[in-house]
């Protein structure tokens, strides 16, 4: 099936090549990415009439409260629409959705979505500290007093989720290791990727346990990084330098603790299912129509849960799917994260925006050395905000 | 292997803030009770403690002390926490499913790291901190151990 299209398309996309930039601020990295995207699109900064960005504090920089106005000031742009919806690393998917909604509603025509972070340069241990330690704030009465006081970290929450998912659905550590190994294989084809040295399943399983059952190589890397996207109304496309990558469908969904009654494991997958179903329905396609997927791989388990939630395999089949090479650029049924993902290529505090840059490169046929042959339709899925089980997912169908 | 054989006991708990809304929960901890709430309208339990029923928004949540008994629903042996105050000793973060069906986060204490398992029976106890008592869980001794 050919997806139906909205009136919005990605006209410009740029991923900053740096993974370590101690001499630059996250503001400057973001600005350089914006320059890259505007050049890529062939548009001018004064055409930008909507702006979306995310706070980087505390995990990746100093940009905090009122992030979109503060960053608009630094960039010296004059958007009439701004948004900084915060769903952690999935935020950028939500910005794409809001950009499409605003374009469809006639509110604006040229949306800039931008991100920059210096998480690695700042030496922030995003996944292995309590959030109150990251922010320097006290343990709030609700809900931190009932949670963080016990030494929870992002990785320990994902450990709790992974342990239960293994128990309920038969997933194994060895299967998860294949996700990390495949991402590293892909990263070897990407000259900008942070880690390109080959990795074996044994390497993953013998790497230090951070929070069981998650090993070091089950966890995304920490990098500096920046990216920018220009999502535009189709009226602007004749002015643009490159062919459009159309937004065909999108969806979003959240989950939380259900007053203490929630099943985090099943709900993590069902949240993805709800977001993906909305995206598939809007685009009028299904999993079989997807040529390549960009799945936010903050941890190896995220990929398995998203595969099952999106319907690329059945419930409980995600482990076998990844162990049988389903994600591989070379012969996999769903080539996933050809750039090497967050596990090997690029992961500042929030990775979501990079999914769209790689999807754009793939659908334009610009992914030198790692091109999915003839890719026409791509899917992006992202889950963010791992404050225990309070999380949000975004899903997108893009087509050329 | 030596560290794996050690009993998991985190060495540091930061002092949590208490609000007017959550004070009854912490007061109960001081009496050795783990408070859940049950709505007098919809009948459902809720946790953490809050000033309204989050399920139906209509009824009054009544304080109900939990039996304090439950099973491990999930767990993670945390081997790296670089927060201030934490050392390098591994410790167990667990989700405990109480007999009332409510899932709570806590630490599983006095449990060899190799022995922790989903489904393991556990019970609450209370650790005095500076200004309050913190609910923690430990394995329920096997019947043969109780003599």
């Amino acid at each position: 099936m050919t997806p139906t299209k909205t009136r919005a398309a990605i006209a410009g996309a740029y991923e900053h090549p740096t993974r370590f930039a101690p001499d630059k601020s996250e503001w400057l990295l973001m600005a350089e990415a914006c320059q890259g995207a505007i050049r890529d699109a062939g548009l001018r900064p004064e055409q930008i009439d909507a702006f979306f960005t995310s706070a980087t504090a505390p995990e990746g920089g100093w940009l905090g409260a009122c992030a979109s106005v503060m960053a608009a000031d630094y960039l010296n742009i004059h958007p009439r629409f701004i948004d900084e919806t915060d769903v952690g690393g999935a935020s950028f998917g939500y910005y794409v959705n809001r950009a499409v909604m605003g374009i469809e509603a006639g509110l604006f025509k040229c949306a800039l979505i931008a991100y920059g972070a210096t998480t690695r340069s700042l030496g922030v241990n995003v996944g292995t500290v309590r959030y109150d330690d990251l922010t320097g704030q006290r343990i709030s009465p609700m809900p931190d007093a009932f949670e963080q006081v016990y030494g929870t970290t992002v990785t320990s929450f994902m450990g709790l989720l992974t342990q239960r998912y293994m128990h309920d659905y038969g997933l194994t550590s060895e299967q998860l290791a294949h996700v990390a190994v495949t991402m590293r294989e892909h990263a070897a084809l990407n000259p900008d990727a942070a880690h390109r040295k080959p990795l074996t399943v044994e390497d993953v399983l013998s790497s230090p346990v951070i929070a069981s059952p998650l090993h070091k190589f089950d966890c995304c890397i920490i990098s500096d990084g920046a990216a920018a996207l220009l999502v535009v109304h189709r009226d602007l496309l004749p002015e643009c330098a490159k062919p459009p990558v159309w937004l065909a469908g999108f969806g979003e969904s959240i989950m939380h603790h259900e007053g203490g009654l929630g099943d985090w494991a099943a709900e993590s997958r069902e949240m993805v299912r709800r977001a993906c179903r909305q995206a598939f329905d809007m685009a009028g396609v299904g999993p079989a129509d997807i040529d390549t997927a960009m799945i936010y791989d903050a941890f190896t388990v995220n990929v398995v849960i998203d595969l099952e939630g999106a319907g690329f395999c059945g419930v409980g089949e995600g482990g076998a799917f990844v162990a049988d090479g389903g994600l591989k650029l070379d012969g996999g049924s769903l080539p996933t994260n050809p750039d090497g993902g967050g596990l090997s290529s690029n992961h500042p505090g929030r990775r979501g925006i990079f999914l769209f840059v790689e999807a754009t490169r793939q659908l334009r046929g610009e992914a030198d050395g790692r091109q999915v042959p003839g890719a026409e339709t791509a899917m992006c899925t992202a889950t963010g905000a791992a404050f225990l089980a309070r999380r949000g997912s975004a899903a997108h169908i893009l087509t050329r | 292997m030596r560290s794996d054989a050690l009993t998991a006991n985190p060495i540091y708990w930061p002092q949590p803030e208490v609000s007017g809304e959550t004070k009854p929960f912490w007061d109960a901890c001081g009496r050795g009770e783990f408070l859940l709430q049950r709505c007098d309208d919809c009948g459902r339990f809720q946790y953490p403690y809050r000033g309204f029923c989050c399920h139906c928004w209509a009824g009054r949540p009544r304080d109900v002390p939990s039996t304090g008994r439950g099973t491990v629903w999930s767990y993670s042996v945390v081997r790296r926490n670089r927060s201030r105050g934490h050392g390098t000793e591994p410790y167990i973060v667990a989700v405990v499913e109480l007999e009332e069906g409510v899932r709570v986060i806590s630490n599983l204490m006095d449990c060899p790291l190799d022995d922790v398992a989903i489904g393991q029976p556990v019970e609450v106890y209370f650790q005095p901190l500076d200004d309050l008592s913190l609910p923690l869980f430990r394995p329920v001794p096997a019947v043969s151990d109780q003599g």
Side-chain angles (χ1 to χ4, degrees):
Chain A
M1 295 283 289
T2 303
T4 55
K5 296 165 181 171
T6 67
R7 279 184 281 263
I10 296 175
Y14 185 81
E15 178 179 12
H16 203 296
T18 192
R19 301 294 185 267
F20 184 56
D23 297 332
K24 294 183 178 180
S25 68
E26 89 268 27
W27 306 72
L28 180 56
L29 287 182
M30 176 198 280
E32 291 176 351
C34 293
Q35 290 176 306
I38 209 91
R39 264 198 317 271
D40 186 58
L43 295 172
R44 302 181 312 280
E46 55 270 27
Q47 292 176 280
I48 295 164
D49 54 4
F51 179 56
F52 302 80
T53 197
S54 155
T56 58
E59 83 281 358
W62 305 94
L63 181 58
C66 305
S68 50
V69 174
M70 300 303 286
D73 169 69
Y74 177 79
L75 295 169
N76 196 21
I77 54 175
H78 301 87
R80 58 171 173 260
F81 188 101
I82 57 165
D83 185 46
E84 56 200 74
T85 298
D86 190 347
V87 199
S91 300
F92 302 93
Y94 286 68
Y95 302 156
V96 170
N97 298 353
R98 280 143 188 72
V100 177
M101 287 189 267
I103 287 168
E104 288 280 350
L107 299 176
F108 50 79
K109 288 195 170 176
C110 184
L112 173 66
I113 300 172
Y115 175 62
T118 50
T119 317
R120 183 173 166 208
S121 293
L122 293 169
V124 180
N125 299 307
V126 182
T128 51
V129 289
R130 295 189 320 268
Y131 195 73
D132 64 283
D133 194 64
L134 210 52
T135 59
Q137 293 172 344
R138 299 166 82 176
I139 304 277
S140 72
M142 175 65 80
D144 300 346
F146 300 93
E147 299 167 5
Q148 303 216 15
V149 67
Y150 298 111
T152 57
T153 61
V154 170
T155 311
S156 68
F157 164 65
M158 293 305 293
L160 292 171
L161 171 61
T162 306
Q163 193 79 55
R164 186 70 200 191
Y165 213 85
M166 288 175 161
H167 177 269
D168 287 352
Y169 303 106
L171 181 66
T172 69
S173 286
E174 185 175 355
Q175 290 172 333
L176 287 178
H178 282 276
V179 177
V181 170
T182 301
M183 291 307 104
R184 187 59 63 91
E185 284 173 14
H186 294 175
L189 306 172
N190 176 5
D192 293 333
H195 296 280
R196 306 178 65 204
K197 189 173 150 234
L199 199 62
T200 66
V201 168
E202 183 51 38
D203 291 336
V204 178
L205 296 177
S206 62
S207 65
V209 171
I210 307 299
S212 74
L214 298 175
H215 304 82
K216 174 184 169 184
F217 290 124
D218 286 304
C219 309
C220 61
I221 63 161
I222 295 175
S223 56
D224 297 342
L229 302 170
L230 284 159
V231 179
V232 306
H233 190 286
R234 64 185 180 195
D235 289 353
L236 284 185
L237 291 175
E239 298 178 45
C240 293
K242 291 184 176 172
V245 168
W246 294 96
L247 272 304
F250 62 82
E252 50 188 75
S253 185
I254 68 162
M255 66 175 285
H256 52 62
H257 291 192
E258 311 280 346
L261 305 180
D263 177 346
W264 302 355
E267 181 59 10
S268 290
R269 181 190 60 244
E270 294 309 306
M271 167 180 66
V272 174
R273 187 185 308 284
R274 290 190 294 272
C276 290
R277 182 162 296 162
Q278 184 186 325
F280 281 131
D281 287 351
M282 194 185 296
V285 297
D289 299 303
I290 303 302
D291 300 315
T292 180
M294 310 302 147
I295 300 179
Y296 190 156
D297 53 342
F299 297 87
T300 49
V301 71
N302 292 107
V303 175
V304 169
I305 289 174
D306 282 18
L307 288 170
E308 295 182 5
F312 290 113
C313 61
V315 172
E317 295 172 3
F321 186 97
V322 300
D324 292 344
L327 305 174
K328 285 178 186 282
L329 199 46
D330 183 12
S333 61
L334 184 72
T336 297
N337 299 346
D339 62 347
L343 289 165
S344 283
S345 175
N346 201 2
H347 196 303
R350 300 167 179 227
R351 173 169 167 79
I353 193 167
F354 302 113
L355 308 179
F356 294 92
V357 183
E358 179 66 5
T360 300
R361 287 188 290 236
Q362 290 289 340
L363 294 177
R364 286 176 176 170
E366 292 179 343
D368 294 338
R370 60 175 192 277
Q371 179 65 44
V372 176
E376 293 186 358
T377 302
M379 184 162 199
C380 299
T381 66
T383 294
F387 295 104
L388 293 171
R390 303 176 189 89
R391 310 163 75 209
S393 284
H396 299 79
I397 313 290
L398 302 102
T399 192
R400 68 185 192 194
Chain B
M1 283 309 293
R2 199 178 71 86
S3 67
D4 281 12
L6 287 176
T7 293
N9 283 323
I11 57 167
Y12 177 72
W13 295 282
Q15 191 76 24
E17 295 291 311
V18 176
S19 67
E21 182 187 13
T22 61
K23 188 171 182 297
F25 176 85
W26 297 106
D27 286 349
C29 289
R31 302 190 301 269
E33 287 182 349
F34 188 96
L35 271 197
L36 298 175
Q37 296 165 295
R38 189 170 199 179
C39 177
D40 64 6
D41 198 49
C42 74
R44 280 173 283 192
F45 284 100
Q46 71 177 13
Y47 178 84
Y49 199 90
R50 62 195 91 178
F52 76 111
C53 173
C54 73
H55 297 299
C56 70
W57 289 12
R60 268 171 57 93
R62 305 279 182 189
D63 290 354
V64 180
S66 169
T67 65
R69 290 190 297 270
T71 54
V72 172
W73 188 81
S74 193
Y75 66 92
S76 178
V77 179
V78 183
R79 293 181 179 276
R80 191 172 300 177
N81 184 337
R82 290 170 164 152
S83 310
R84 271 162 297 194
H86 276 274
T88 56
E89 296 87 347
Y91 59 93
I92 302 170
V93 172
V95 179
V96 172
E97 185 171 76
L98 294 169
E99 287 180 333
E100 294 83 1
V102 175
R103 294 177 187 139
V104 309
I105 296 156
S106 188
N107 294 128
L108 181 58
M109 308 292 290
D110 301 328
C111 176
L113 299 179
D114 290 341
D115 290 357
V116 57
I118 288 175
Q120 180 178 5
V122 295
E123 64 185 9
V124 74
Y125 74 101
F126 296 89
Q127 171 76 39
L129 300 186
D130 287 349
D131 296 332
L132 50 75
S133 289
L134 186 68
L136 302 172
F137 287 81
R138 61 189 167 203
V140 175
V143 175
S144 59
D145 291 343
Q146 292 175 326

